[in-house]
Amino acid sequence: MNSQTDKKTFTLTDNSSGKQIELPVMEGTVGPRVIDVRRLYAETGCFTFDPGYTSTGSCESRITYIDGEEGVLLYRGYPIQELATNCDYPEVCYLLLYGDLPTQKQQSKFEHDITYHTMLHEQLNTFYRGFRRDSHPMAIMCGVVGALSAFYHDSLDISDPRHRMVASYRMIAKIPTIAAQAYKYSIGQPFVYPRNDLKYSENFLYMMFANPAEDYKANPILARAMDRILILHADHEQNASTSTVRLAGSSGANPFACIAAGIASLWGPAHGGANEAVLNMLEEIGDVGNVSKFIKMAKDKDDPFRLMGFGHRVYKNFDPRARVMQETCHEVLDELGINDEPLLDLAMGLEKIALEDEYFVEKRLYPNVDFYSGIIFKALGIPASMFTVLFAVARTVGWIAQWNEMIEDPSQRIGRPRQLYTGENKRIFKELKDRK
Ligand code: CMC
């Protein structure tokens, strides 16, 4: 890690004692400067208070950069739009994992190695049967991914770089198989084994939609759309699920357990669950004529309703992923000949009104990536309960790259936030018989 601590410092004054301390200011390659508060408690006896970590940098990272004001997203320095247009998903996985785009030779070896790990341990297939048929596929994902550590004992030593790489390849390779099987299980169809002659996204679609009675050949435009969706969701710096993976991993937990923790965090509707929530919301709105009623509800402080697919913690401008997703959405609908999709009309109506509405403009609430992804998934024939699962498949490489980076960082320590305690002070204990 080579962020610089320059000569600049930040001076903090305690107004009650008049004491001053100088805190170092760190600078990254781009982005806001960071005040290094690591000595704060030792020197002042104070902690910082930052619920939701809106002003806290939790780590140094070289993987992903976001400029939320300008709507910029870079993976290892490359703009997301260029990667989504020119690369396939395994190429982007390589980039995130290793820091540079692969040469042709590196790319074919990487794809081969990933393909080589796509099958699951046969006994893991029986593990699914422990779940109820109507389980949410994300519940199955949390369980099965967590269970990988019970099946792949030879890649659990996190101090061994080879173990870490084998676990990383296994995760990237097996996650589409695990996801497709979660889907097949929930619809009562037999599992479809991966095919090593297919590309990553084609294979994923094949495992989801083929069945023993009928062959399935992925439409190249739809496979390309899937690839693009995977690229757009592959990493997003220190969001809730990635921070969860890092926090879980900071204690030395094995990578499979850490990714399972990330999946659990992703499930929430404020994070990865939003794409499913967008579709549910569009179905609830039902008709363009009802949009203004729902916009009114979203603006009402006393109403918990929020417009799903709008707003972002970091982007205060158009989410650059949403632009690519919007284009992809039209490509998919054109390819499938869907030109009277009522949900799309509704989504476009909602987008237009929200972009012009004073409340959304003032609070800088733009459509985010989830706003369009749900419509694409629906057009591809993927049920809403699988939307967040697809997000998890895509994000696995980001989690694993961030986890590797953390383990390799010599300054890494177990994550341990502090708190502002507002409970009872020390009290006198009364035995049960004396309590009134
Ligand atoms: N609809 C209506 N009002 C909103 C919305 C929305 N979607 N999002 C934020 N606001 C309002 C919020 O009520 C608050 O108003 P006020 O200042 O008057 O109290 C203000 O905007 C700031 O909101 P916040 O909750 O403080 O912002 P946050 O950074 O904590 O939350 C968010 C970000 C994404 C959780 C939030 O915008 C949201 O709930 N959006 C809907 C869910 C969604 O689409 N999530 C997907 C995020 S993108 C995928 C990913 O990266 O995981």
Side-chain angles (χ1 to χ4, degrees):
M1 293 288 166
N2 63 356
S3 73
Q4 298 155 11
T5 305
D6 65 9
K7 299 249 160 23
K8 293 184 199 108
T9 54
F10 193 89
T11 307
L12 205 63
T13 309
D14 180 346
N15 286 333
S16 48
S17 67
K19 190 180 167 200
Q20 284 196 328
I21 68 155
E22 300 233 314
L23 297 168
V25 172
M26 301 164 78
E27 271 185 40
T29 330
V30 271
R33 293 178 307 151
V34 170
I35 303 164
D36 180 351
V37 295
R38 278 175 287 189
R39 287 190 296 110
L40 189 70
Y41 178 63
E43 297 208 7
T44 66
C46 292
F47 298 134
T48 55
F49 185 63
D50 187 19
Y53 314 118
T54 50
S55 294
T56 298
S58 61
C59 61
E60 281 188 40
S61 183
R62 292 163 173 252
I63 302 174
T64 293
Y65 173 71
I66 303 173
D67 181 339
E69 294 296 323
E70 296 296 325
V72 170
L73 169 61
L74 310 177
Y75 291 167
R76 302 283 192 181
Y78 296 104
I80 189 67
Q81 296 90 327
E82 286 182 41
L83 295 173
T85 314
N86 300 309
C87 294
D88 67 8
Y89 180 68
E91 225 175 319
V92 172
C93 290
Y94 186 99
L95 173 70
L96 289 169
L97 213 50
Y98 290 106
D100 281 309
L101 284 165
T103 60
Q104 267 182 7
K105 202 170 153 200
Q106 288 165 333
Q107 162 80 350
S108 26
K109 174 156 177 20
F110 182 69
E111 266 203 86
H112 171 270
D113 293 349
I114 292 291
T115 306
Y116 183 75
H117 282 102
T118 46
M119 271 176 57
L120 300 183
H121 189 294
E122 194 56 25
Q123 215 176 323
L124 194 57
N125 291 339
T126 58
F127 188 82
Y128 283 80
R129 295 211 193 115
F131 291 99
R132 279 172 51 144
R133 284 277 174 198
D134 58 357
S135 304
H136 194 289
M138 278 300 274
I140 300 181
M141 294 294 287
C142 291
V144 176
V145 172
L148 291 177
S149 39
F151 286 85
Y152 299 102
H153 299 138
D154 58 343
S155 55
L156 295 183
D157 179 1
I158 64 159
S159 64
D160 182 334
R162 185 169 156 71
H163 275 229
R164 291 203 297 272
M165 227 5 109
V166 172
S168 303
Y169 278 42
R170 279 189 170 141
M171 271 312 320
I172 298 166
K174 292 183 197 308
I175 198 82
T177 316
I178 295 172
Q181 292 193 178
Y183 174 55
K184 287 295 194 192
Y185 186 77
S186 72
I187 57 169
Q189 285 189 8
F191 297 153
V192 173
Y193 286 83
R195 263 182 47 192
N196 292 357
D197 60 321
L198 298 178
K199 294 280 196 192
Y200 194 91
S201 291
E202 275 174 350
N203 185 40
F204 184 32
L205 290 170
Y206 167 77
M207 289 189 289
M208 295 253 298
F209 295 118
N211 67 58
E214 210 173 303
D215 196 20
Y216 173 87
K217 186 154 175 29
N219 172 325
I221 296 201
L222 304 188
R224 178 72 192 123
M226 175 59 76
D227 221 52
R228 212 171 257 182
I229 291 169
L230 297 180
I231 293 172
L232 294 175
H233 287 87
D235 194 47
H236 214 228
E237 55 120 302
Q238 309 312 319
N239 54 80
S241 57
T242 303
S243 300
T244 302
V245 170
R246 280 188 178 256
L247 193 57
S250 75
S251 70
N254 75 68
F256 303 117
C258 296
I259 302 300
I263 292 174
S265 168
L266 186 76
W267 195 355
H271 192 7
N275 48 19
E276 183 176 346
V278 169
L279 207 75
N280 294 339
M281 176 189 75
L282 291 175
E283 269 160 8
E284 199 188 334
I285 297 176
D287 186 82
V288 183
N290 296 329
V291 167
S292 51
K293 187 177 108 200
F294 280 83
I295 297 253
K296 205 166 154 213
M297 277 159 63
K299 291 176 357 184
D300 182 355
K301 275 224 157 299
D302 300 322
D303 193 322
F305 176 78
R306 280 185 171 201
L307 270 198
M308 287 292 130
F310 278 80
H312 199 275
R313 168 61 61 79
V314 182
Y315 293 116
K316 302 302 170 197
N317 200 323
F318 225 97
D319 179 339
R321 302 169 301 171
R323 288 195 195 281
V324 182
M325 207 59 116
Q326 190 189 33
E327 262 173 51
T328 310
C329 186
H330 285 288
E331 270 171 36
V332 166
L333 297 176
D334 284 351
E335 175 64 18
L336 295 173
I338 305 175
N339 39 30
D340 59 343
E341 169 59 57
L343 283 188
L344 186 70
D345 290 345
L346 190 51
M348 295 305 131
L350 190 62
E351 182 200 36
K352 189 169 181 311
I353 294 172
L355 284 175
E356 287 164 2
D357 189 284
E358 202 184 316
Y359 172 94
F360 288 87
V361 173
E362 208 176 88
K363 294 188 189 299
R364 304 206 281 169
L365 301 169
Y366 291 87
N368 58 48
V369 66
D370 292 317
F371 186 67
Y372 302 100
S373 58
I375 301 165
I376 304 181
F377 292 151
K378 185 170 163 37
L380 291 175
I382 297 167
S385 63
M386 280 297 289
F387 291 1
T388 316
V389 174
L390 274 120
F391 193 158
V393 169
R395 186 55 59 82
T396 292
V397 67
W399 290 329
I400 212 78
Q402 300 267 353
W403 174 82
N404 273 296
E405 184 180 64
M406 182 193 69
I407 301 291
E408 285 161 18
D409 181 353
S411 68
Q412 185 265 325
R413 302 172 69 189
I414 185 166
R416 177 56 170 94
R418 306 305 292 250
Q419 62 171 11
L420 175 66
Y421 177 68
T422 55
E424 295 285 348
N425 204 339
K426 187 173 173 188
R427 295 202 265 183
I428 295 168
F429 178 79
K430 283 187 188 157
E431 285 191 27
L432 187 56
K433 65 180 171 41
D434 300 327
R435 287 177 222 158
K436 299 221 165 63

